[in-house]
Amino acid sequence: MHKDIATPARTRAILDKYGFSFKKSLGQNFLIDTNILRRIVDHADLTEESGAIEIGPGIGALTEQLARRSKKVVAFEIDQRLLPILEETLSPYPNTAIINEDVLKADVKEAIDREFSGIDDIMVVANLPYYVTTPIIMKLLEDKLPIRGIVCMLQKEVADRISARPGTKDYGSLSIAVQYYTEAETAMIVPKTVFIPQPNVDSAVIKLIKRQEPAVEVKSEPFFFQVTKSSFAQRRKTLLNNLTSQLPEGKQKKEQIISALEKAEIDPGRRGETLSIDEFARLSDALFPYFS
Ligand code: SAM
């Protein structure tokens, strides 16, 4: 087996050889602990038949571990300076492909169709760039890709919000958006010392396994998400006040919201953070006829 990329000594040697300087604006914090990398990959439950999509391979630390444990890895990397480095570090792994694109602009579905023909089990596994964690996760879920799920490193604070339950301070529209599509859990907490350079915030790995069907059935998905966002606009306000100030203008808006809350059997004095996803679905369906 080839020497691991992710030891502190080898990582430094690679960076020095290419004179690579980290770009903070691209969220470049590379992992230098093979043990952590292997544990991340463990959480993805890959087999030799699986495909892995990585976002931001950096110098290939995680890519290498994925290549050893799956059939094929396709990695999106925005930073062109990393391409010659990856060409060298990943040369022992012919089952890897790098796509030099911003993942937020990329057609991931098309890349899956092109790169993973004959592969049924596909997981996204990544140490995400922290400046765009939420947009990346939401894009991967909203694009309805044929993936089993996502295992990724991100800021612990965002992991807490994603896996939060109703009634807790971290519960909000992000928890609902992600839990609508997936079963979410925080898989591990990761110390800053395993990165170079060390990030300013604590990190965690989350595991999101896609549901067969969304957690709740709603008349309109965009409206459901609009209602959840509106309900958390100001956390200290009641549902009635948030919805009244956030939903689009209309005659008798307040009366309509009160009547929808009544129909959904939800007390208008409650706050958004106390509602379960089922209750939000009921509320959104009751409001929908007035605002569609
Ligand atoms: N996977 C490597 C590791 O664990 O050591 C690097 C992870 S580093 C946290 C994030 C990586 O994402 C960097 O290589 C960065 O250049 C890349 N990146 C940042 N923004 C990106 C984007 N919008 N699309 C694709 N890659 C991006």
Side-chain angles (χ1 to χ4, degrees), residues 26-31 54 56-58 77-78 102-103 127 129 131:
L26 291 180
Q28 292 179 333
N29 302 93
F30 295 173
L31 280 166
E54 189 187 353
E77 175 55 64
I78 197 172
D102 175 345
V103 72
N127 170 19
Y131 74 106

Side-chain angles (χ1 to χ4, degrees), residues 15-16 37 39 43 46 70 74 82 84 86-87 106 146 190 259 278:
L15 298 175
D16 286 350
L37 285 162
R39 285 170 60 199
H43 283 294
L46 301 172
S70 66
V74 173
L82 289 164
L86 287 164
E87 204 166 300
V190 179
S259 124
D278 285 293

Side-chain angles (χ1 to χ4, degrees), residues 16-197:
D16 286 350
K17 176 173 171 188
Y18 288 89
F20 183 83
S21 53
F22 292 101
K23 269 199 188 151
K24 216 176 167 179
S25 61
L26 291 180
Q28 292 179 333
N29 302 93
F30 295 173
L31 280 166
I32 45 163
D33 185 318
T34 48
N35 185 38
I36 293 281
L37 285 162
R38 278 195 288 268
R39 285 170 60 199
I40 295 174
V41 180
D42 286 344
H43 283 294
D45 297 317
L46 301 172
T47 74
E48 286 170 6
E49 299 306 313
S50 305
I53 299 174
E54 189 187 353
I55 291 137
I59 60 169
L62 176 60
T63 327
E64 165 180 76
Q65 304 293 334
L66 290 167
R68 290 179 186 159
R69 310 244 311 254
S70 66
K71 187 152 193 173
K72 182 160 190 192
V73 189
V74 173
F76 291 90
E77 175 55 64
I78 197 172
D79 188 350
Q80 218 178 324
R81 299 174 306 152
L82 289 164
L83 302 186
I85 307 185
L86 287 164
E87 204 166 300
E88 179 189 330
T89 57
L90 297 178
S91 61
Y93 307 99
N95 60 337
T96 56
I98 305 295
I99 301 179
N100 181 207
E101 274 183 65
D102 175 345
V103 72
L104 290 175
K105 296 190 183 138
D107 186 341
V108 183
K109 172 82 172 48
E110 190 270 328
I112 290 178
D113 292 345
R114 192 182 61 233
E115 302 280 351
F116 290 130
S117 77
I119 297 181
D120 294 329
D121 180 55
I122 302 170
M123 280 297 279
V124 175
V125 187
N127 170 19
L128 292 176
Y130 290 179
Y131 74 106
V132 274
T133 315
T134 311
I136 291 177
I137 292 177
M138 289 318 297
K139 174 189 161 109
L140 296 172
L141 296 176
E142 284 167 357
D143 281 0
K144 304 199 175 41
L145 304 171
I147 56 174
R148 175 161 51 86
I150 305 173
V151 169
C152 63
M153 176 92 76
L154 71 183
Q155 306 92 310
K156 180 177 174 300
E157 171 258 324
V158 179
D160 289 343
R161 285 199 280 131
I162 284 178
S163 47
R165 303 287 165 221
T168 63
K169 72 170 186 3
D170 291 321
Y171 182 69
S173 53
L174 181 64
S175 330
I176 294 166
V178 176
Q179 292 174 33
Y180 175 78
Y181 295 110
T182 72
E183 301 245 23
E185 64 166 296
T186 299
M188 59 195 219
I189 309 295
V190 179
K192 292 177 185 163
T193 48
V194 300
F195 299 90
I196 162 174

